[in-house]
Amino acid sequence: MGGNDYMALTSGPNQSSVITSEYKRKYMGMVLGNFTSVIKAVYDKGGRKFGFQNVGPLGCMPASKSMAASTMPTPGNTTEVNCIKEPQILAKVHNIALSKLLKKLATQLPGFKYSLFDYYTSLAQRTLYSSKFGFKVGKSACCGSGAYNGNFSCGGKNGTVIYTLCSNPSEYVWFDAGHPTESTNKQLADLLWNGHPNVTAPYTLKMFFEM
């Protein structure tokens, strides 16, 4: 929860470069406030075991890198771009605050238990070191157009948008400008289900089903 909120903040008409730190702080407070309200509403209905993933590596998305490439003096020279700094910072700060929030809720709400999956690190690792996880391509999307196939043109738009589509999506970490492939999601789901404590904690979903 939160990825789309922060992408809107960094890629909207009011680009993040002109948004003040104070505005970002208040914006994050709004996101986490809404998050807390929904958790408490579900808790009041009887929910006790909650599974969460933190915000992913927004700056590593093909969409973020494509937008950055379009503003570079030499947009064709993007081979050294791994992840864009500003979206990454927003995601990291949110994730630190989210972890603290869940620990706080666990002390306030009797019986509240949660599983928090480090989606950020897990997806960033696969993007930057794709071959270690069985992928051939980590930094560009299977389907799309522009730099890194990072334009949301996959599937065409009224039959007029040109896009490319890879022959084997399972070789890619990213399917389109902002979404991982099925193969990537399978690996991430396995980690959420029963990952190491440094990835999914303090419980895994498997632990919840065994309680």
Side-chain angles (χ1 to χ4, degrees), residues 12-127:
N14 297 320
Q15 293 286 335
S16 60
S17 60
V18 298
I19 295 176
T20 66
S21 297
E22 178 63 15
Y23 181 88
K24 292 175 188 175
R25 186 187 67 79
K26 290 182 178 179
Y27 189 91
M28 188 170 295
M30 176 195 70
V31 172
L32 291 169
N34 290 338
F35 187 85
T36 304
S37 296
V38 173
I39 292 174
K40 289 184 176 180
V42 174
Y43 179 88
D44 289 342
K45 294 292 185 180
R48 291 297 181 270
K49 294 180 285 187
F50 294 76
F52 304 107
Q53 65 180 40
N54 61 19
V55 169
L58 302 179
C60 299
M61 293 168 52
S64 298
K65 294 188 290 185
S66 180
M67 285 186 287
S70 68
T71 63
M72 292 179 180
T74 54
N77 184 20
T78 60
T79 55
E80 298 303 317
V81 176
N82 289 322
C83 301
I84 307 304
K85 182 178 179 180
E86 181 64 24
Q88 291 290 86
I89 292 174
L90 280 171
K92 286 181 179 179
V93 175
H94 167 93
N95 290 342
I96 292 171
L98 173 62
S99 180
K100 292 179 179 179
L101 170 63
L102 292 175
K103 290 177 181 178
K104 181 179 179 181
L105 288 174
T107 66
Q108 295 177 339
L109 304 176
F112 174 85
K113 292 181 174 62
Y114 68 91
S115 171
L116 179 59
F117 168 47
D118 189 0
Y119 181 65
Y120 177 99
T121 300
S122 300
L123 184 50
Q125 288 177 338
R126 284 158 177 77
T127 300

Side-chain angles (χ1 to χ4, degrees), residues 138-210:
K139 298 176 183 178
S140 295
C142 164
C143 187
S145 61
Y148 305 99
N149 264 355
N151 294 335
F152 280 101
S153 58
C154 184
K157 185 177 181 182
N158 298 324
T160 60
V161 175
I162 297 175
Y163 67 96
T164 61
L165 175 64
C166 69
S167 59
N168 190 353
S170 65
E171 296 178 345
Y172 284 69
V173 173
W174 296 91
F175 179 71
D176 65 8
H179 304 95
T181 59
E182 183 177 356
S183 298
T184 305
N185 280 327
K186 173 62 167 63
Q187 292 188 11
L188 300 176
D190 287 343
L191 293 173
L192 176 59
W193 175 250
N194 195 31
H196 189 276
N198 66 358
V199 176
T200 307
Y203 296 92
T204 64
L205 294 192
K206 186 174 185 289
M207 289 178 182
F208 281 160
F209 279 86
E210 292 174 345

Side-chain angles (χ1 to χ4, degrees), residues 2-16 19 27 58:
N4 286 348
D5 296 304
Y6 296 118
M7 283 304 293
L9 182 66
T10 59
S11 63
N14 297 320
Q15 293 286 335
S16 60
I19 295 176
Y27 189 91
L58 302 179

